[in-house]
Amino acid sequence: MEHPLTGRRVVRCIIYARISEDKEGAGLGVARQVEDCTALAKRLSTNDAEYRVVLIFEDNDMSAYSGKPRPGYQATLTALRDGEGDCVLAWHTDRLHRSPAELEAYIDICEPRRVETRTVKAGDLDLTTATGRMIARQLGVQARYEVERMVERQRRKREELAKDGKFLGGGRPFGWEADGVTPISVEFTAIREAAASVLSGASRLSIARSWNRAGFQTSRGSEWTSAGVRAMLLRPRNAGFQVHRGVSVGAGSWLFPLDEPTWRSVVAYLENASRQIVPQTERRYLGSGIYLCGRCGSTLKANQSQRRGGPVTKHYMCRATPHLGRSAELLDDHVQLAVVDRLSLPDAVDLIARHEDPVDVRAAQAELKDARETLDELAAELGAGGMDLRSWRVASTGAKERMAAAEALLSRAVRVNPALELVGGDVEAAWRGLDLSRKRAVLAFLATVTVLPARRGPGWDSDAVRIDWKK
């Protein structure tokens, strides 16, 4: 097209800029590419033709090699298909594509429309001729080769780091500085307290809320959620284990906040929903799912109701059928007073002392270590050709079974008594200091609460609530 006043040919230019990794986090890489491409358009302009930038598309912190969709690149192709540009300006050809398949699709769009491709660092591509297309394909193959070599080098480096138990890089893990090795004491303490809280029945959501109130942020700088707390507590690095490609490859070289039995107990608790008193969604009532119906034995659930614009009332009802109901406020107050009174008695320590089969942690850890060493020796012999794959599978089965049994034993090594911190002091104050999830855990640990049919007439029938203390 020609300029109506100057008569010069106007070449509509589309700038595409991309950077694979924005370490500065400010988009400076693509901004510099756009600046250089804009300067290129000015240099290309002559008395006969004006190279005018009409559209700019960017993909920041996005790799062309990963195969993930690039919104800016797709918008560039759409604009070319719609005839909105005559020339594509890029900093280098590898900013456009590093995949032969992508290049062929790009050629299919540009060739029939005679779209020019000009770059700041790699010159021009004439896709309207066989020679130009051959050169473009050669550049694409070279770029692909360089990327694959880079990926191989990075992969080998990460394998070496993993073997040596060193930090593999990436975002800062919660608990450590950016080097992944230097501990942050306040975050270490938070991880230990979160592990103890989970094992004593606290909900992940309550932990997330307390961390957000304390100003803790995730490694991405966002607020904590229930899912985020769970994922963090499941990390093997919390117990000093190095993981590479989803497989534990040995011990890390960093200090860690949790011992192995505690971490394995937390993992077992979080991965077994049936063992959790507090569900993933936060409860809002003390006895929901804990109180039992005295008529049919089902648990009670909490409900709210409102009649003719009156106040909202909260009550418990049988989960199976509405043949029994009770005021939530009165029932919860009655149960809480009973718990505080019972734990204030001199024999409260005897009530909460539960004797379970002890776990020999040292023996389990020794068995685990021996099984791992056996597997390592078998793997080395297989690699050296000393045994075939079938023999290795047979020989390694026993070691794997021993390792699994030891891990299962360690996962039962740590149990936190949810009521232990309540005795020996001001029980009422300690009870008030617990969040709802912890109160629910204490109640489920201490007693079975059965709600019986109440007598007719006004007033609260305390005899219609039976509390059986667990031994």
Side-chain angles (χ1 to χ4, degrees), residues 88-103:
V88 175
L89 302 179
W91 196 79
H92 194 282
T93 54
D94 62 12
R95 297 299 87 191
L96 283 168
H97 28 64
R98 287 189 170 183
S99 160
E102 275 191 343
L103 173 60

Side-chain angles (χ1 to χ4, degrees), residues 422-436:
L422 295 175
V423 298
D426 188 338
V427 177
E428 184 176 356
W431 177 262
R432 287 198 306 266
L434 298 181
D435 60 53
L436 181 60

Side-chain angles (χ1 to χ4, degrees), residues 68-144:
K68 296 180 180 179
R70 292 181 285 154
Y73 181 72
Q74 294 302 321
T76 300
L77 298 184
T78 299
L80 293 175
R81 289 192 192 97
D82 294 341
E84 298 179 22
D86 310 305
C87 177
V88 175
L89 302 179
W91 196 79
H92 194 282
T93 54
D94 62 12
R95 297 299 87 191
L96 283 168
H97 28 64
R98 287 189 170 183
S99 160
E102 275 191 343
L103 173 60
E104 292 303 323
Y106 182 76
I107 291 175
D108 289 342
I109 293 173
C110 294
E111 179 187 1
R113 296 169 178 81
R114 306 190 67 81
V115 174
E116 304 175 27
T117 301
R118 299 180 180 270
T119 71
V120 176
K121 294 295 183 180
D124 305 334
L125 295 179
D126 185 0
L127 302 180
T128 63
T129 66
T131 300
R133 292 190 292 274
M134 179 191 69
I135 294 173
R137 291 181 177 113
Q138 289 176 340
L139 289 173
V141 169
Q142 180 66 25
R144 184 75 175 189

Side-chain angles (χ1 to χ4, degrees), residues 352-368:
I352 66 174
R354 301 281 174 81
H355 300 287
E356 299 179 358
D357 294 334
V359 172
D360 190 339
V361 172
R362 291 187 177 180
Q365 289 178 320
E367 178 73 0
L368 190 59

Side-chain angles (χ1 to χ4, degrees), residues 217-239:
Q217 291 185 326
T218 68
S219 58
R220 296 179 179 272
S222 57
E223 289 194 340
W224 285 95
T225 63
S226 173
V229 170
R230 182 181 188 277
M232 187 281 301
L233 289 174
L234 290 175
R235 294 181 316 189
R237 82 166 357 254
N238 291 337

